[in-house]
Amino acid sequence: MYKNDKVIRRYSESFKLKILDELTTGKLNKNQLGKLYGINPTTINEWIRKYERKDLMNTRIKVETKNEITLIKELQKEIEQLKKLLLKKDLDAMVLDSYLEVAAEKLGYKNVIELKKKLNI
């Protein structure tokens, strides 16, 4: 046998339906059934899609109370306010740096660092 030779397995319709029935009972999940019968869980997912058994697909449901939703909205507003404050602070720092550059130039210092040393900033 060569390295590239693959074993292709074909499953009968009745076998596929049997696996889906076992999954329906809930005793075993896809991974457990896959190990038991030597089937990749993604193959089981394909059978679920093929036979339109959406009830067997993993679904995620997020349950939130009204208080949680309100809290999330309030926190999102607070985050936006904090972003705006941070932006304002950054702009204020840029303006201050610009003032210091102009002041250093007008007072005859080589750069802002010399002015800051002189002023102990």
Side-chain angles (χ1 to χ4, degrees):
M1 200 181 244
Y2 297 103
K3 285 184 181 180
N4 293 334
D5 286 348
K6 291 184 180 180
V7 175
I8 298 174
R9 294 183 179 165
R10 304 268 181 212
Y11 301 100
S12 67
E13 297 293 316
S14 60
F15 179 76
K16 294 174 186 178
L17 293 171
K18 176 186 173 213
I19 297 297
L20 295 181
D21 285 341
E22 286 187 37
L23 190 58
T24 304
T25 63
K27 292 180 183 174
L28 299 173
N29 62 32
K30 289 177 213 171
N31 290 328
Q32 293 167 332
L33 283 169
K35 285 179 184 176
L36 181 65
Y37 291 103
I39 306 168
N40 192 323
T42 56
T43 302
I44 297 174
N45 282 335
E46 290 172 17
W47 297 345
I48 291 170
R49 279 188 217 94
K50 178 181 178 181
Y51 294 103
E52 298 179 0
R53 294 290 308 270
K54 292 178 182 175
D55 58 309
L56 299 176
M57 286 300 273
N58 293 336
T59 54
R60 188 174 291 162
I61 299 172
K62 187 174 180 181
V63 178
E64 296 176 327
T65 63
K66 288 183 181 180
N67 291 339
E68 290 172 325
I69 294 170
T70 304
L71 178 64
I72 289 170
K73 287 181 182 177
E74 288 173 2
L75 291 173
Q76 287 171 337
K77 284 180 187 175
E78 187 176 345
I79 288 170
E80 287 304 313
Q81 290 173 344
L82 291 172
K83 284 181 180 178
K84 288 177 184 175
L85 287 173
L86 184 60
L87 179 63
K88 184 183 181 313
K89 183 180 177 217
D90 288 345
L91 289 174
D92 290 346
M94 287 175 56
V95 169
L96 178 62
D97 287 344
S98 298
Y99 283 144
L100 287 174
E101 286 177 21
V102 170
E105 186 180 311
K106 296 274 184 183
L107 295 172
Y109 292 99
K110 292 180 185 176
N111 54 35
V112 176
I113 296 171
E114 276 189 24
L115 177 62
K116 285 184 175 181
K117 284 182 182 177
K118 187 73 172 178
L119 298 174
N120 294 323
I121 298 178

